[in-house]
Amino acid sequence: ENKKLTHDTIVECGYGYVRPEQHIFPREYAEDLAERICASMRLPEDGICVLKLCNRTRGAGVVPVPAAELDGVLRKLLCPPENVEAWLREQPRGWFASVDIGCFEEQVRHWWSNECPVFIAEPLCASAATVLADGRAFDGTMRVGFSLHREHRERVPPGWLATPDGLVHAGDDVPAADRGPPGPDGMGR
């Protein structure tokens, strides 16, 4: 899965209104990166943005960040230790077992090991919970799955029909293979 390609396909198919706006940035730290991210989505000082890796699934590499903390988080995500082997040797024995699933430290490891050259920044989107008849509530924005497909129809000259047997002239039922393909004027031979 590539979150950027998926987003662009959804927008291209006319469903952009169901997606948060998305901004792409190089996966390299810069002193003004947090400022550029906030400006790109007009994020208020008390706003929250969501940073995502393009090619991870099931929440791996997804980090919601308050705008006020964005620069520090970007620095941690985008600046791995210069000597990773030395850093690993310095970690307590069994440190990997103490990292909680989904915690920030796990997300940092996803960012450090990611090969995609860009990342995504989106504004945090939330909806009002939908309350079911039994009183349970759920947030419909949590996970939306749908399939988009595009029909690729071959262009058929005027007066011809596409059928499972091939092109057929609209005036009769003789397949184009028997009649001959239409000429430049759209007529048969």
Side-chain angles (χ1 to χ4, degrees):
E1 174 184 343
N2 183 302
K3 290 175 181 66
K4 175 65 176 147
L5 293 176
T6 301
H7 177 273
D8 290 351
T9 300
I10 291 168
V11 170
E12 185 179 304
C13 290
Y15 295 99
Y17 62 91
V18 301
R19 301 280 307 147
E21 62 180 289
Q22 191 176 81
H23 303 272
I24 304 301
F25 296 91
R27 212 168 48 84
E28 296 176 8
Y29 179 78
E31 295 290 331
D32 67 338
L33 182 57
E35 183 180 313
R36 287 187 286 136
I37 290 172
C38 290
S40 72
M41 61 184 85
R42 300 165 304 285
L43 192 66
E45 288 182 23
D46 63 344
I48 297 175
C49 75
V50 180
L51 305 177
K52 298 180 178 183
L53 293 169
C54 291
N55 58 352
R56 291 289 196 253
T57 59
R58 299 183 182 206
V62 176
V63 182
V65 186
E69 300 172 24
L70 187 56
D71 184 64
V73 169
L74 287 167
R75 190 180 302 269
K76 288 178 184 173
L77 295 174
L78 299 174
C79 300
E82 288 186 28
N83 186 337
V84 175
E85 287 184 26
W87 178 85
L88 285 169
R89 282 192 299 273
E90 294 169 2
Q91 299 309 301
R93 184 175 175 90
W95 64 270
F96 53 86
S98 67
V99 174
D100 293 327
I101 293 174
C103 74
F104 181 71
E105 288 305 314
E106 179 192 8
Q107 303 308 337
V108 169
R109 272 46 166 207
H110 284 292
W111 281 71
W112 288 357
S113 64
N114 194 264
E115 65 281 353
C116 188
V118 296
F119 70 92
I120 296 167
E122 297 176 348
L124 178 68
C125 293
S127 65
T130 300
V131 180
L132 303 174
D134 64 3
R136 291 181 298 152
F138 72 95
D139 182 348
T141 62
M142 289 178 59
R143 172 91 38 192
V144 174
F146 58 94
S147 172
L148 297 176
H149 72 280
R150 181 178 296 151
E151 289 185 26
H152 294 284
R153 296 182 183 212
E154 88 183 63
R155 294 194 178 265
V156 179
W160 292 79
L161 302 171
T163 71
D165 296 323
L167 292 179
V168 174
H169 191 268
D172 57 36
D173 59 358
V174 179
D178 297 339
R179 174 187 296 277
D185 61 357
M187 305 300 290
R189 290 195 268 186

